[in-house]
Amino acid sequence: MEKFQKLKEVLSGIEADASKFYDAGNAAAGTRVRKAMQDLKVLAQEIRAEVTEKKSAK
């Protein structure tokens, strides 16, 4: 559950940058959004592996 909480924190943390990129066209904010999305991808994959492991252990 810890990784899921981290995923939620990363997602909520990029809202301002996403708004700056899409609404104001701020390229630097777009770079930060791309990095955060990569972090989300990694976290999501780790969560998937954890869930699969727990399911298999039962």
Side-chain angles (χ1 to χ4, degrees), residues 28-45:
T31 301
R32 291 189 297 270
V33 170
R34 285 176 43 89
K35 183 191 179 312
M37 295 306 289
Q38 182 63 36
D39 294 344
L40 286 174
K41 178 183 172 187
V42 170
L43 280 169
Q45 189 62 42

Side-chain angles (χ1 to χ4, degrees), residues 7-26:
L7 185 135
K8 287 173 33 177
E9 289 172 14
V10 171
L11 187 59
S12 67
I14 64 170
E15 284 186 65
D17 283 330
S19 178
K20 288 176 188 175
F21 176 71
Y22 286 110
D23 298 336
N26 183 328

